[in-house]
Amino acid sequence: MPFAEVIGDPIAQSKSPVIHRFWMESLGIEADYRRRHVLPADLGDYIRAAAGDPGWRGCNVTLPHKIAVMPFVTDPGDVESSIGAMNTILRQPDGQLIGTNTDAAGFAAPLAAIDLTGVPVAVIGAGGAARAVLFALSKLGVGPVTLYNRTPLKAAALLAHFGLKGDVKPIGAPLPPVALLVNASALGMAGQPPLAVDLAPLPEGALVYDIVYAPLETPLLAQAHEQGLETIDGLEMLIGQAALAFELFFGIAPPRDRDEALRALLTV
């Protein structure tokens, strides 16, 4: 039976199997999608073994492997130079492994109806997911970006890489009055340190987007709701990127007309 996987460390929190299996059942596809706990030291061995398994269609890649996986696969779309992180690996019939990134499009999808041209933005984080977020924001033409990270030098290099003008600040520094705040870090995720941020500086009508989905209502989103701000939760990006990966793995688009039922299943 063909199958795909999601790999990471940790991995128990991943909702990807629920999403992909929901779509498989809806479409009558005889396949499977699994979680696989892969430690950083075992990443190379995992990838090499997967290349030799004809039933393995590919995998999604989550923390902490989105950057580390790149040397093990081919990169026909030059994802390494553009985004600098991969979240999807595909096995070709000849065993060749191709890396790509569906995070950027998944992140941008719920923002498609909003004109963000010149809009000031703040982004928290500078890891693999943040790279996809910054790439997408650069394509959306946002205004100055304030990037928060523990290592300001790394953050400054990322802004330059994506051609974004703005500023860098340490995590915990006060927010500027931006129209869009994105948590692109793992802070606030179950089992991770909390994200301590005060949303008071954000103006009325600001949008808060948290890519964390476990818990679904993070403390950041709860604070945004209390302040009457608009929010986008992590399931939007998760389902969006998963839909692109599903079509790559199994050659058919998932039934996005069933998103409401899928979200209900994911929030039980």
Side-chain angles (χ1 to χ4, degrees):
M1 177 185 292
F3 70 99
E5 297 179 304
V6 57
I7 64 170
D9 176 34
I11 199 60
Q13 81 287 349
S14 176
K15 295 181 181 292
S16 292
V18 177
I19 296 171
H20 286 263
R21 289 171 180 172
F22 175 85
W23 288 333
M24 290 172 188
E25 183 178 352
S26 298
L27 296 171
I29 296 174
E30 293 188 6
D32 197 11
Y33 188 99
R34 309 164 183 170
R35 294 184 187 90
R36 177 69 71 90
H37 186 199
V38 177
L39 297 171
D42 299 330
L43 182 60
D45 289 340
Y46 168 82
I47 293 295
R48 284 185 285 270
D53 185 347
W56 188 86
R57 294 294 182 86
C59 69
N60 288 118
V61 182
T62 188
L63 289 170
H65 302 317
K66 293 186 179 186
I67 297 173
V69 77
M70 292 190 292
F72 298 106
V73 300
T74 59
D75 184 15
D78 201 20
V79 172
E80 183 172 4
S81 296
S82 58
I83 297 178
M86 294 175 177
N87 80 311
T88 304
I89 309 300
L90 307 172
R91 185 186 187 278
Q92 302 301 292
D94 62 359
Q96 182 184 25
L97 301 185
I98 292 175
T100 189
N101 189 300
T102 64
D103 275 340
F107 167 79
L111 300 173
I114 305 172
D115 184 4
L116 293 174
T117 306
V119 168
V121 177
V123 177
I124 299 169
R131 285 177 169 271
V133 167
L134 292 168
F135 175 83
L137 291 174
S138 71
K139 297 303 181 183
L140 292 170
V142 300
V145 175
T146 304
L147 184 58
Y148 291 78
N149 189 49
R150 293 186 182 90
T151 309
L153 187 61
K154 178 182 179 181
L158 282 182
L159 289 183
H161 177 80
F162 293 108
L164 293 165
K165 296 181 179 180
D167 193 14
V168 299
K169 294 184 178 182
I171 291 177
L175 293 172
V178 295
L180 171 64
L181 168 65
V182 181
N183 177 30
S185 76
L187 296 175
M189 180 187 294
Q192 298 292 325
L195 173 59
V197 59
D198 182 6
L199 300 182
L202 299 190
E204 182 180 352
L207 175 62
V208 177
Y209 192 155
D210 196 339
I211 71 167
V212 171
Y213 58 83
L216 183 58
E217 183 173 72
T218 61
L220 178 66
L221 294 184
Q223 185 185 167
H225 292 149
E226 290 175 1
Q227 197 166 315
L229 301 176
E230 296 293 323
T231 64
I232 298 175
D233 64 46
L235 284 187
E236 292 286 346
M237 178 175 173
L238 180 67
I239 293 172
Q241 65 81 24
L244 297 169
F246 183 90
E247 187 166 1
L248 291 172
F249 294 148
F250 302 110
I252 185 172
R256 296 301 304 275
D257 59 331
R258 301 202 63 198
D259 276 9
E260 185 175 345
L262 176 57
R263 283 185 66 94
L265 183 63
L266 291 168
T267 52
V268 170

